[in-house]
Structure formats: C-alpha cells, structure tokens
Amino acid sequence: MGNQQSRAPLRGTSAQELTVAQSDIRGNYNGNNGSHNNFHSGNTTTNHYHGGMNTSDYSEISQCLYTSEYKSHRNRIREPVEGTCTWVIEHPKYKDWLDERSSGLLWLSADPGSGKSVIASFLAGHLETRDNTIVCYFFFKDDSDEQRSAKFALCAILHQLFEQQQPLHMCAQKAFASKGKRFIEDVNTLWEILVQAAKGANGDVICVMDAFDECEKGTRNQLIRHMIDLLKLPPSDTVLKFLVTSRPYHDIAVELTRSVRTIQLKGEDEVKAISTAVSQVIDEGVKHLESYWESPGGLGYLRNLLESSADRTFLWVALVLKILEDSADNSREAFTRIVSDTPHDLTELYTKILDKSSHPEGARRILHIVVGATRPLTLAEIFVAFRIRQHHRTTKDIEVMPLKFETTVKNLCGLFIRIIDSKVYLVHQTAREFLIKGRGFGAGNWQHTLCPTRILTLCWPIFKYALLDYAASNWAGHFRCMQDRHMELFGRSRLICKTGSNTFFTWLKVYWERSGQSQSYEFESNLTHLMIAAWLGQKEVVGRLLQEADSKYINASSRIYGTALNVAAMRKNEDITMMLAGRVNVCLQGKDYNILKVASTPWTNWLIDE
C-alpha cells in the first residue's frame, strides 16, 4: 500500500547509532522482541519459521499457497457442448507441443467471445486423463483481485502440484524457512520453487493458464520472461509445459514469441473449426429449446437463422438462445423476429439488453457495485451495498434481504449478469469492457458510463452484517482510489478509526486477516488513526491529522510498531515518512527520539537503496 519505492528509511538500534549512515531502526518498542522492526531487510516475520523443518510443514506451506479459490474459479466456466473443443486436440501444433519430450509453451490465441475459457477448461480435463502427467491450472479474471496476478497463479499451481505429489513441498522449504509466509509474495521465488518441483516430479508437469490478457501486466511479464528463459535451456529429462490462452494482443505476442520454441495456435485463423463448433452449439441449443418448449423437432428453422447471424461468436449464440428461452411467445413469428432483430454487434446487443431494464437506475447501481468490487460479491453482499445509503449507521437501518432478491437482480440487469452459487458475475469480460469509462467514447445510455472507483458505499463497514467481510477488507483500497475525495470523506474515515471502539477493533481484525497482513505482521489493535493512515498510505489524511492533532496524539506509540513514523518507515512509504519526520518522534528501545535533532546528516541521506 502507498508509495513503495526502491528506497526505504534507514534502521537504527540505538540513539548513538542514529548518526551512522547505514544504521537500523529495529527497536524494542515497549519490551517487544523487535521481530517486526527490521525495516531495511523487509523481514517482518517472527522467528519460528527459521528453525529446522520436517514433513509436517506441508500443511503450513500448503495453507500459505492457498491464496485463491482456483477450483471455484474453474467452475464458473460453462461445460463445453460435446465435440466443440476436439479441434484443438486434433490440431498438429497442439500435438507437436504435447509430444515434445522437453519443456514447451503453447499459446492459444482467439478473439473475444470465441470460447477460449471453455477450451482451456476442456484441455485441462483432457490432459488429466494422460498417464504420468500432473496437470495444474489457473483462470485469470479481471473482475477479481485474486485472479489478476501471476503470483496468485503460481501459488495455485504449486498448491495443486503439492496436493498431487506431497513430497514435492520440500522444494518450498528453503524459501519458507528464509522468508516465512512472505515467500509467496515474489514471482521469482515462486518460479524457482516450481522449476525445482518439476525436476523432482514423478511425471510431466503441465500448467494451463487461461485469459493471460486479464493478468495485470507487471507480474505477467515477469512470468513470461521466466517461461521464455526456460525454453532457452538445453533439453533435459525435466518436462514443464505451459498452455496459455489469451486474446491476440500485440504486447502479449511480442513477449511470448521472443523464443522460436513458442508454438502459437491462432484460433482467430481457424475459421472452419470455430464455425463448426458454433454450429454444434446451435444444434445443442435448439434441441434444448425444443425440450423446454415441448416442441420436439419443431424448431429446426432456427438453425439456419442462428448460423447466418452468429459470426463465429459463441457468446452471441448463448445470449440469443437465452433470450429465446425467456420469451413469453414461442411462435415461429416471435422467434424469427427475435433472432432477426438481435444486433450482431455485441455492443449493440448489450445496449439493447440493458435498455429493457424495468428500472434503469436500479440496474446501474447494481452494475456499478459489480464492476467496482475487487471480487465477485454474493447476493447478500450485493443487497446490502444496493440498499445502504450515507445516513445509515447500523444494521437496523437496512431491512432483511427478501427471498426474491435474486429475481429482482435478474429483472433489473437481464442477461447482462449471471448468478452462480449465489455469486453475481457479469456475463463476460466484454460486458465489463462495455461498461467501464476510459475505454473510449461510448454510445447510448450504458456504454463506457461507469467508473469502478465510484463505489465508496462499499467502503464503510456495516458491522455484524453480510457486507462486513468485504467492506472491512477493502474499504482502504477503495478509499485510496478516491484520491480526489479524501478530505470529503475524512470525517467518515475518522469514525471507523477511533481507537478503542468496537467498530475499530471489528473492521481492523477482519482487514488484518483478509488482506494478508497477518502473514507478515502481528496483529495490533492499539493503533491511532494517524498510524492507520500511515500504514495504508493515506497521505492526505496524514497531513490533515498533523494539522489538527496535538503533540501527545501524534507521538503516541503502539506496543508493537512504535509511532506513526516507525509505521511509515516500516511500510517503506517515503512521502509519508518525510511528512512525519521532525513532527513525529521515532520510538527506539522503548524511548522516543526526534530524528532530525539527533541525526548529524540531512534527512534525505537517511534514505538508502535496499
């Protein structure tokens, strides 16, 4: 959080050493062991990870690696219609990649709506039937923080690998001993563990990763560089293969094709195969409609109508088939009109779907919540976020969710959303791109009209209620995104950061666990609002509190982490550290020091490269 640059505040172990250019701010704040205060090294874990280890560490390592619900992410993917994905396994390039007795990379590219995720899930299942093969998978998604990063992907892959061959977890023990739970935070470390595990695996290791284009660019490029470097190595007995899918974006193509050994299967060029698969989906869909409308063999005329309009897009076909199923009139005239009048262009189709909403403003509020959330929300969470208003303060201000709220959401948003296991999703990634501002000029009342950061309703924890987990875990992130409104929202943030209150303790405890703070830092409830703002990188709030508060407040010291200056230094936020220096004391060995008065060098010299 905050501005975490490559420069960090120096450390020191005593007042005398504060004049030394490369001293440490370790400190035993009020009798604590100082294990959280070795700022320069980045080691903020306790020492119980650093002793000898045995196989009992498997459960702890496995727990660390379980950073995402990767199985449920795969369950979001629709089951393929029989025969629709077989063209891939019959393709010469797929066979070349699979049959090669060395590590390899297959990149399956395809246009939006052409079924890449369905194919990826199918291929993972197909590969799992092979002898002497360990298959691991990850499905990237832009609608969830835990599906946007290559770190989460590598953690999921290692978790599956260790689940299938438990002794391989020994490959992670060195990193676990050195860094504790924080070993999962580094792509390079996770990659090294994966390579070592593949060397010791009993069989070929194949990693299927879908929607590579929805992974954030920084960690994605790190992972790609490692995969490309792997392909440069001489052939060996170790087989570590990757199958990735994505849209055919230029920046991804540049990175993935830096090795001549990368095999690209261009789905966008497989016109015949995709068209055949779309026809199979249409056949299956028409059969389902005939069964649904109790008209066996009576809807054959729809096949040609749908095939002439589909333009090789599975998504369009799926949406139109659902519209036909939901129609109040199943006459030939009505069905023909629906297919003929449905726009072929997805943008126009999405607009038409949302224009039919019974309550456009209600639909817009639901979609704003879905688009802006950092993870898919449950119906219960959506309900609270939908109902909550600024004047609400307690759970009594919001009624109980009605049993028919799912129907309400569907009536408001139509086919634009999907509800799976009581979680609400947009129908497709293209739907998200259709809604979000900043992706170009929009047409009509819906396209490019939503700003995902403008959902501050979700930021304020409604305690002991359905939204508590999400709000307590994510309000700080949403607040940070609303930089232009920090002062407007200052009063409300102060309410939930009131030290000693039940509200403060409740949200902080949830935040500490859910946001991963507990993996690196011991929980501390005795933090002031200034310390919290420094921890979260809220520069404007820090400035306001410094203006308002007296010296006793701003120099308050927590049992574990010391003063707000100690916190800012530990969090490696240079801007906030500079703001606090001279105004806030630093706590060392249980004593407070004004760092500018005791330092013999200018403050800027107290910042060194890590």
Side-chain angles (χ1 to χ4, degrees):
M1 297 180 181
N3 180 20
Q4 297 185 16
Q5 304 295 330
S6 60
R7 298 175 68 82
L10 280 171
R11 306 165 292 167
T13 53
S14 68
Q16 290 76 22
E17 291 174 332
L18 285 170
T19 58
V20 181
Q22 294 195 4
S23 55
D24 291 343
I25 299 180
R26 296 177 184 275
N28 180 347
Y29 291 152
N30 285 325
N32 73 79
N33 60 20
S35 63
H36 293 271
N37 308 313
N38 186 349
F39 303 138
H40 177 63
S41 70
N43 177 15
T44 56
T45 60
T46 51
N47 293 327
H48 71 276
Y49 298 120
H50 298 267
M53 287 189 267
N54 51 50
T55 54
S56 65
D57 295 312
Y58 166 75
S59 60
E60 237 181 317
I61 291 173
S62 180
Q63 185 178 7
C64 289
L65 292 170
Y66 192 69
T67 57
S68 65
E69 297 181 4
Y70 57 85
K71 292 180 181 178
S72 65
H73 298 161
R74 184 181 177 186
N75 290 339
R76 287 176 59 179
I77 310 302
R78 300 178 188 272
E79 288 291 324
V81 171
E82 187 175 355
T84 54
C85 299
T86 55
W87 69 269
V88 179
I89 61 178
E90 294 167 358
H91 199 284
K93 288 188 175 181
Y94 176 84
K95 292 180 178 179
D96 288 345
W97 166 79
L98 189 58
D99 294 340
E100 180 66 33
R101 292 309 307 152
S102 63
S103 298
L105 170 60
L106 175 67
W107 174 31
L108 172 60
S109 61
D111 293 324
S114 53
K116 295 183 295 297
S117 295
V118 174
I119 290 174
S121 183
F122 168 81
L123 293 176
H126 169 73
L127 291 166
E128 285 169 349
T129 64
R130 289 172 55 89
D131 294 333
N132 301 316
T133 302
I134 308 168
V135 180
C136 309
Y137 58 82
F138 190 80
F139 289 80
F140 290 102
K141 279 291 180 184
D142 193 31
D143 63 3
S144 172
D145 278 356
E146 68 176 40
Q147 289 181 263
R148 288 194 188 110
S149 171
K151 289 187 287 187
F152 286 94
L154 288 170
C155 283
I157 286 169
L158 288 171
H159 188 270
Q160 294 167 76
L161 187 56
F162 296 167
E163 255 194 349
Q164 295 178 68
Q165 294 191 9
Q166 184 171 326
L168 294 177
H169 85 279
M170 301 287 288
C171 299
Q173 283 195 332
K174 182 178 179 180
F176 184 60
S178 173
K179 300 180 180 181
K181 296 178 180 180
R182 298 185 68 181
F183 82 94
I184 64 172
E185 297 175 7
D186 180 48
V187 169
N188 299 327
T189 299
L190 294 168
W191 175 264
E192 290 171 4
I193 294 170
L194 177 59
V195 171
Q196 290 300 315
K199 289 180 180 178
N202 183 18
D204 299 347
V205 177
I206 299 181
C207 305
V208 178
M209 291 185 284
D210 175 59
F212 223 41
D213 50 293
E214 296 185 44
C215 176
E216 59 88 17
K217 192 171 182 179
T219 58
R220 182 183 72 206
N221 286 345
Q222 280 183 280
L223 179 55
I224 290 176
R225 283 193 290 272
H226 282 303
M227 291 192 293
I228 296 302
D229 288 344
L230 179 68
L231 299 184
K232 295 177 182 178
L233 298 176
S236 68
D237 294 335
T238 301
V239 177
L240 177 58
K241 293 179 184 286
F242 294 89
L243 190 160
V244 301
T245 73
S246 80
R247 298 180 187 182
Y249 288 154
H250 176 71
D251 59 334
I252 294 178
V254 169
E255 293 294 324
L256 287 177
T257 57
R258 284 191 297 113
S259 170
V260 295
R261 291 180 57 197
T262 298
I263 299 175
Q264 183 180 4
L265 202 172
K266 296 184 178 182
E268 61 271 23
D269 292 344
E270 298 296 325
V271 178
K272 183 178 180 181
I274 298 294
S275 296
T276 299
V278 169
S279 295
Q280 291 171 313
V281 171
I282 291 172
D283 285 342
E284 185 71 18
V286 170
K287 288 179 183 177
H288 171 74
L289 283 175
E290 289 177 341
S291 173
Y292 181 83
W293 288 107
E294 298 181 351
S295 178
L299 301 180
Y301 65 91
L302 284 175
R303 288 183 175 85
N304 289 337
L305 277 173
L306 290 166
E307 286 183 5
S308 63
S309 304
D311 192 29
R312 300 187 294 119
T313 306
F314 292 97
L315 178 59
W316 187 91
V317 171
L319 288 170
V320 176
L321 287 171
K322 184 60 178 171
I323 292 172
L324 292 169
E325 182 179 313
D326 293 344
S327 173
D329 184 356
N330 69 332
S331 67
R332 182 169 184 148
E333 293 77 10
F335 276 9
T336 300
R337 185 173 60 253
I338 288 172
V339 177
S340 301
D341 292 349
T342 299
H344 297 182
D345 178 74
L346 278 178
T347 295
E348 295 178 19
L349 177 53
Y350 286 152
T351 300
K352 185 174 182 178
I353 289 172
L354 292 175
D355 279 345
K356 289 184 176 180
S357 174
S358 59
H359 193 298
E361 286 309 307
R364 189 177 302 280
R365 186 169 176 83
I366 292 287
L367 294 173
H368 223 150
I369 293 166
V370 173
V371 167
T374 62
R375 62 161 172 80
L377 299 175
T378 65
L379 279 167
E381 291 171 328
I382 291 281
F383 174 76
V384 177
F386 182 66
R387 293 293 189 189
I388 191 175
R389 296 297 185 269
Q390 289 191 9
H391 63 274
H392 289 157
R393 289 293 180 268
T394 70
T395 57
K396 295 179 181 179
D397 296 327
I398 303 174
E399 66 267 32
V400 177
M401 184 180 77
L403 294 176
K404 293 185 178 181
F405 183 65
E406 178 174 345
T407 302
T408 300
V409 172
K410 290 179 178 178
N411 288 339
L412 288 174
C413 302
L415 297 179
F416 209 82
I417 54 96
R418 297 173 66 202
I419 298 176
I420 306 171
D421 296 331
S422 293
K423 289 185 179 180
V424 181
Y425 305 92
L426 295 180
V427 66
H428 192 261
Q429 173 64 13
T430 53
R432 180 181 178 85
E433 295 164 355
F434 168 83
L435 290 173
I436 293 178
K437 277 184 178 180
R439 298 178 183 268
F441 294 103
N445 297 322
W446 300 97
Q447 187 182 20
H448 301 158
T449 60
L450 301 188
C451 180
T453 62
R454 299 286 178 181
I455 58 163
L456 205 60
T457 304
L458 293 181
C459 298
W460 311 108
I462 297 297
F463 299 107
K464 300 179 183 177
Y465 212 82
L467 199 59
L468 169 62
D469 182 271
Y470 181 87
S473 303
N474 292 280
W475 82 265
H478 286 302
F479 186 94
R480 191 166 56 252
C481 291
M482 304 284 288
Q483 293 183 4
D484 58 331
R485 295 182 61 193
H486 279 192
M487 288 303 96
E488 174 190 342
L489 301 163
F490 174 76
R492 300 180 71 190
S493 67
R494 171 175 271 171
L495 286 175
I496 66 170
C497 292
K498 186 177 180 181
T499 307
S501 69
N502 289 334
T503 296
F504 174 74
F505 181 82
T506 301
W507 82 256
L508 185 63
K509 188 69 174 177
V510 175
Y511 168 78
W512 213 268
E513 292 297 325
R514 297 292 191 269
S515 65
Q517 303 299 311
S518 60
Q519 294 184 357
S520 305
Y521 305 104
E522 184 178 346
F523 179 70
E524 167 65 278
S525 62
N526 189 32
L527 300 176
T528 65
H529 191 186
L530 181 61
M531 295 173 196
I532 288 291
W535 191 291
L536 300 176
Q538 296 174 348
K539 183 178 177 181
E540 293 81 1
V541 175
V542 168
R544 175 71 172 269
L545 290 170
L546 286 177
Q547 291 176 7
E548 294 184 358
D550 57 31
S551 60
K552 182 178 179 181
Y553 173 82
I554 65 176
N555 285 307
S557 179
S558 73
R559 180 182 63 84
I560 298 175
Y561 297 109
T563 68
L565 178 56
N566 289 98
V567 170
M570 181 184 68
R571 298 293 285 175
K572 302 175 185 176
N573 192 308
E574 182 174 330
D575 289 344
I576 293 180
T577 302
M578 295 287 285
M579 289 176 65
L580 297 175
R583 292 290 311 279
V584 180
N585 292 336
V586 64
C587 182
L588 301 168
Q589 302 291 341
K591 296 181 179 180
D592 286 356
Y593 300 92
N594 184 311
I595 201 163
L596 291 186
K597 290 182 179 179
V598 298
S600 63
T601 57
W603 171 250
T604 52
N605 291 337
W606 285 71
L607 300 172
I608 62 171
D609 289 326
E610 289 190 288

